[in-house]
């Protein structure tokens, strides 16, 4: 079961990460938002992809009410995003990395935290349907 979960976590995570990355780099920053503000907007839109993908595929928690799973997973996502934003700000301020490379490093690094908290808390105690 863990292999299936890791596979779908990867698929959903890469999809949400691509949505996040492309919105920031192809839409929001070119439209004039600062990279850090664009990152917030990208996170919020990618969250929708992440929540539904993890709920339906990764953790197969369709039977868990949204009123339980959504706030928990949003808390997980927000904690992960807080780490994301702090790391991103540090990389932008203290390295010569391009904002796109820094964002990619941060998104990949924070993914492990999201998986663990999602599995052990947000969708905990659910059995695959």
């Amino acid at each position: 079961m863990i292999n299936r979960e890791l596979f779908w976590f990867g698929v959903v995570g890469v999809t949400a990460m691509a949505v996040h990355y492309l919105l920031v780099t192809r839409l929001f920053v070119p439209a004039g938002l600062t990279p850090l503000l664009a990152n917030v907007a990208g996170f919020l839109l990618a969250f929708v992809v992440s929540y539904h993908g993890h709920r339906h595929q990764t953790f197969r928690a369709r039977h868990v009410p949204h009123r339980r799973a959504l706030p928990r997973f949003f808390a997980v996502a927000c904690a992960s995003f807080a780490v994301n934003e702090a790391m991103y700000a540090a990389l932008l301020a203290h390295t010569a990395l391009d904002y796109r490379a820094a964002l990619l490093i941060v998104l990949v690094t924070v993914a492990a935290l999201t998986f663990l908290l999602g599995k052990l808390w947000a969708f905990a105690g659910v059995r695959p349907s």
Side-chain angles (χ1 to χ4, degrees), residues 3-74:
N3 290 333
R4 185 200 58 76
E5 285 179 346
L6 287 175
F7 171 77
W8 281 109
F9 182 81
V11 169
V12 172
V14 166
T15 302
M17 182 174 52
V19 167
H20 187 152
Y21 183 81
L22 291 172
L23 285 170
V24 170
T25 63
R26 305 286 187 201
L27 181 62
F28 298 139
V29 170
L33 290 177
T34 65
L36 289 175
L37 186 56
N39 194 34
V40 173
F43 159 75
L44 291 172
L45 292 169
F47 172 78
V48 175
V49 173
S50 182
Y51 173 74
H52 287 289
H54 291 314
R55 177 182 171 82
H56 293 285
Q57 292 298 325
T58 305
F59 302 113
R60 293 187 177 177
R62 290 177 210 100
H63 60 285
V64 177
H66 284 291
R67 70 182 179 278
R68 175 180 175 243
L70 182 61
R72 284 182 173 205
F73 194 70
F74 190 69

Side-chain angles (χ1 to χ4, degrees), residues 55-115:
R55 177 182 171 82
H56 293 285
Q57 292 298 325
T58 305
F59 302 113
R60 293 187 177 177
R62 290 177 210 100
H63 60 285
V64 177
H66 284 291
R67 70 182 179 278
R68 175 180 175 243
L70 182 61
R72 284 182 173 205
F73 194 70
F74 190 69
V76 167
C78 287
S80 296
F81 184 72
V83 173
N84 166 312
E85 193 75 346
M87 287 177 61
Y88 194 38
L91 287 173
L92 291 174
H94 302 293
T95 72
L97 287 172
D98 178 76
Y99 78 92
R100 293 171 290 241
L103 180 60
L104 197 56
I105 290 167
V106 167
L107 292 175
V108 170
T109 302
V110 173
L113 176 64
T114 303
F115 176 79

